[in-house]
PDB file of all heavy atoms in Angstrom:
ATOM      1  N   LEU A  46      57.598  97.823 107.087  1.00 92.00           N
ATOM      2  CA  LEU A  46      58.163  98.854 107.970  1.00 92.00           C
ATOM      3  C   LEU A  46      58.581 100.082 107.167  1.00 92.00           C
ATOM      4  O   LEU A  46      58.380 101.218 107.600  1.00 92.00           O
ATOM      5  CB  LEU A  46      59.374  98.312 108.744  1.00 92.00           C
ATOM      6  CG  LEU A  46      59.100  97.235 109.782  1.00 92.00           C
ATOM      7  CD1 LEU A  46      60.322  97.034 110.665  1.00 92.00           C
ATOM      8  CD2 LEU A  46      57.896  97.550 110.651  1.00 92.00           C
ATOM      9  N   ARG A  47      59.165  99.865 105.999  1.00 92.00           N
ATOM     10  CA  ARG A  47      59.604 100.999 105.182  1.00 92.00           C
ATOM     11  C   ARG A  47      58.404 101.828 104.709  1.00 92.00           C
ATOM     12  O   ARG A  47      58.506 103.051 104.577  1.00 92.00           O
ATOM     13  CB  ARG A  47      60.448 100.518 104.003  1.00 92.00           C
ATOM     14  CG  ARG A  47      61.820  99.957 104.464  1.00 92.00           C
ATOM     15  CD  ARG A  47      62.658  99.453 103.300  1.00 92.00           C
ATOM     16  NE  ARG A  47      62.990 100.503 102.348  1.00 92.00           N
ATOM     17  CZ  ARG A  47      64.020 101.337 102.444  1.00 92.00           C
ATOM     18  NH1 ARG A  47      64.850 101.246 103.469  1.00 92.00           N
ATOM     19  NH2 ARG A  47      64.238 102.242 101.526  1.00 92.00           N
ATOM     20  N   ILE A  48      57.279 101.171 104.489  1.00 92.00           N
ATOM     21  CA  ILE A  48      56.068 101.902 104.100  1.00 92.00           C
ATOM     22  C   ILE A  48      55.522 102.695 105.287  1.00 92.00           C
ATOM     23  O   ILE A  48      55.126 103.853 105.141  1.00 92.00           O
ATOM     24  CB  ILE A  48      55.018 100.926 103.533  1.00 92.00           C
ATOM     25  CG1 ILE A  48      55.432 100.508 102.121  1.00 92.00           C
ATOM     26  CG2 ILE A  48      53.625 101.553 103.528  1.00 92.00           C
ATOM     27  CD1 ILE A  48      54.527  99.498 101.472  1.00 92.00           C
ATOM     28  N   ILE A  49      55.542 102.088 106.464  1.00 94.00           N
ATOM     29  CA  ILE A  49      55.060 102.808 107.651  1.00 94.00           C
ATOM     30  C   ILE A  49      55.946 104.028 107.912  1.00 94.00           C
ATOM     31  O   ILE A  49      55.470 105.107 108.253  1.00 94.00           O
ATOM     32  CB  ILE A  49      55.047 101.882 108.891  1.00 94.00           C
ATOM     33  CG1 ILE A  49      54.008 100.774 108.721  1.00 94.00           C
ATOM     34  CG2 ILE A  49      54.768 102.690 110.164  1.00 94.00           C
ATOM     35  CD1 ILE A  49      54.093  99.672 109.766  1.00 94.00           C
ATOM     36  N   ALA A  50      57.255 103.861 107.694  1.00 94.00           N
ATOM     37  CA  ALA A  50      58.198 104.960 107.947  1.00 94.00           C
ATOM     38  C   ALA A  50      58.118 106.055 106.887  1.00 94.00           C
ATOM     39  O   ALA A  50      58.523 107.185 107.132  1.00 94.00           O
ATOM     40  CB  ALA A  50      59.621 104.403 107.998  1.00 94.00           C
ATOM     41  N   GLY A  51      57.621 105.718 105.702  1.00 95.00           N
ATOM     42  CA  GLY A  51      57.598 106.703 104.624  1.00 95.00           C
ATOM     43  C   GLY A  51      58.809 106.600 103.711  1.00 95.00           C
ATOM     44  O   GLY A  51      59.080 107.497 102.919  1.00 95.00           O
ATOM     45  N   LEU A  52      59.554 105.480 103.800  1.00 93.00           N
ATOM     46  CA  LEU A  52      60.715 105.274 102.925  1.00 93.00           C
ATOM     47  C   LEU A  52      60.307 104.622 101.605  1.00 93.00           C
ATOM     48  O   LEU A  52      61.084 104.597 100.658  1.00 93.00           O
ATOM     49  CB  LEU A  52      61.768 104.403 103.630  1.00 93.00           C
ATOM     50  CG  LEU A  52      62.378 105.003 104.895  1.00 93.00           C
ATOM     51  CD1 LEU A  52      63.154 103.951 105.675  1.00 93.00           C
ATOM     52  CD2 LEU A  52      63.280 106.183 104.546  1.00 93.00           C
ATOM     53  N   GLU A  53      59.104 104.066 101.565  1.00 92.00           N
ATOM     54  CA  GLU A  53      58.529 103.511 100.327  1.00 92.00           C
ATOM     55  C   GLU A  53      57.076 103.961 100.255  1.00 92.00           C
ATOM     56  O   GLU A  53      56.431 104.120 101.292  1.00 92.00           O
ATOM     57  CB  GLU A  53      58.497 101.970 100.343  1.00 92.00           C
ATOM     58  CG  GLU A  53      59.807 101.269 100.523  1.00 92.00           C
ATOM     59  CD  GLU A  53      60.632 101.196  99.254  1.00 92.00           C
ATOM     60  OE1 GLU A  53      60.170 101.657  98.181  1.00 92.00           O
ATOM     61  OE2 GLU A  53      61.746 100.671  99.343  1.00 92.00           O
ATOM     62  N   THR A  54      56.570 104.120  99.039  1.00 92.00           N
ATOM     63  CA  THR A  54      55.146 104.433  98.879  1.00 92.00           C
ATOM     64  C   THR A  54      54.397 103.145  98.586  1.00 92.00           C
ATOM     65  O   THR A  54      54.854 102.336  97.777  1.00 92.00           O
ATOM     66  CB  THR A  54      54.892 105.338  97.647  1.00 92.00           C
ATOM     67  OG1 THR A  54      56.132 105.656  97.060  1.00 92.00           O
ATOM     68  CG2 THR A  54      54.114 106.558  98.008  1.00 92.00           C
ATOM     69  N   THR A  69      49.734 108.839 104.791  1.00 95.00           N
ATOM     70  CA  THR A  69      50.194 108.161 103.575  1.00 95.00           C
ATOM     71  C   THR A  69      51.042 109.067 102.690  1.00 95.00           C
ATOM     72  O   THR A  69      52.012 108.618 102.085  1.00 95.00           O
ATOM     73  CB  THR A  69      48.985 107.623 102.773  1.00 95.00           C
ATOM     74  OG1 THR A  69      48.087 107.009 103.693  1.00 95.00           O
ATOM     75  CG2 THR A  69      49.418 106.612 101.729  1.00 95.00           C
ATOM     76  N   LEU A  71      52.670 111.820 103.747  1.00 96.00           N
ATOM     77  CA  LEU A  71      53.692 112.578 104.483  1.00 96.00           C
ATOM     78  C   LEU A  71      55.077 111.995 104.243  1.00 96.00           C
ATOM     79  O   LEU A  71      55.254 110.782 104.305  1.00 96.00           O
ATOM     80  CB  LEU A  71      53.429 112.517 105.997  1.00 96.00           C
ATOM     81  CG  LEU A  71      52.465 113.476 106.667  1.00 96.00           C
ATOM     82  CD1 LEU A  71      52.589 113.303 108.187  1.00 96.00           C
ATOM     83  CD2 LEU A  71      52.743 114.907 106.274  1.00 96.00           C
ATOM     84  N   PRO A  72      56.085 112.839 103.996  1.00 94.00           N
ATOM     85  CA  PRO A  72      57.445 112.326 103.817  1.00 94.00           C
ATOM     86  C   PRO A  72      58.037 111.830 105.145  1.00 94.00           C
ATOM     87  O   PRO A  72      57.549 112.192 106.221  1.00 94.00           O
ATOM     88  CB  PRO A  72      58.213 113.551 103.315  1.00 94.00           C
ATOM     89  CG  PRO A  72      57.440 114.729 103.791  1.00 94.00           C
ATOM     90  CD  PRO A  72      55.999 114.298 103.860  1.00 94.00           C
ATOM     91  N   VAL A  73      59.078 111.006 105.026  1.00 92.00           N
ATOM     92  CA  VAL A  73      59.681 110.345 106.192  1.00 92.00           C
ATOM     93  C   VAL A  73      59.990 111.324 107.318  1.00 92.00           C
ATOM     94  O   VAL A  73      59.707 111.043 108.482  1.00 92.00           O
ATOM     95  CB  VAL A  73      60.930 109.518 105.777  1.00 92.00           C
ATOM     96  CG1 VAL A  73      61.945 110.340 105.018  1.00 92.00           C
ATOM     97  CG2 VAL A  73      61.607 108.857 106.965  1.00 92.00           C
ATOM     98  N   ARG A  76      56.986 112.188 109.653  1.00 94.00           N
ATOM     99  CA  ARG A  76      56.144 111.175 110.297  1.00 94.00           C
ATOM    100  C   ARG A  76      56.523 110.930 111.747  1.00 94.00           C
ATOM    101  O   ARG A  76      55.777 110.327 112.491  1.00 94.00           O
ATOM    102  CB  ARG A  76      56.220 109.856 109.527  1.00 94.00           C
ATOM    103  CG  ARG A  76      55.526 109.966 108.207  1.00 94.00           C
ATOM    104  CD  ARG A  76      55.253 108.614 107.610  1.00 94.00           C
ATOM    105  NE  ARG A  76      54.880 108.784 106.220  1.00 94.00           N
ATOM    106  CZ  ARG A  76      54.490 107.808 105.425  1.00 94.00           C
ATOM    107  NH1 ARG A  76      54.445 106.570 105.884  1.00 94.00           N
ATOM    108  NH2 ARG A  76      54.169 108.048 104.187  1.00 94.00           N
ATOM    109  N   VAL A  78      58.834 108.840 113.084  1.00 96.00           N
ATOM    110  CA  VAL A  78      58.934 107.410 113.306  1.00 96.00           C
ATOM    111  C   VAL A  78      60.382 107.094 113.670  1.00 96.00           C
ATOM    112  O   VAL A  78      61.292 107.665 113.082  1.00 96.00           O
ATOM    113  CB  VAL A  78      58.522 106.686 111.998  1.00 96.00           C
ATOM    114  CG1 VAL A  78      59.052 105.287 111.943  1.00 96.00           C
ATOM    115  CG2 VAL A  78      57.012 106.712 111.846  1.00 96.00           C
ATOM    116  N   LEU A 157      60.025 101.373 115.039  1.00 97.00           N
ATOM    117  CA  LEU A 157      60.065 100.221 114.146  1.00 97.00           C
ATOM    118  C   LEU A 157      61.397  99.506 114.316  1.00 97.00           C
ATOM    119  O   LEU A 157      62.456 100.108 114.140  1.00 97.00           O
ATOM    120  CB  LEU A 157      59.907 100.687 112.689  1.00 97.00           C
ATOM    121  CG  LEU A 157      58.683 101.556 112.408  1.00 97.00           C
ATOM    122  CD1 LEU A 157      58.686 102.017 110.952  1.00 97.00           C
ATOM    123  CD2 LEU A 157      57.393 100.805 112.732  1.00 97.00           C
TER     124      LEU A 157
END
Side-chain angles (χ1 to χ4, degrees):
L46 292 193
R47 291 179 62 85
I48 285 177
I49 293 169
L52 297 167
E53 302 281 357
T54 357
T69 316
L71 276 189
V73 54
R76 290 196 193 185
V78 159
L157 306 177

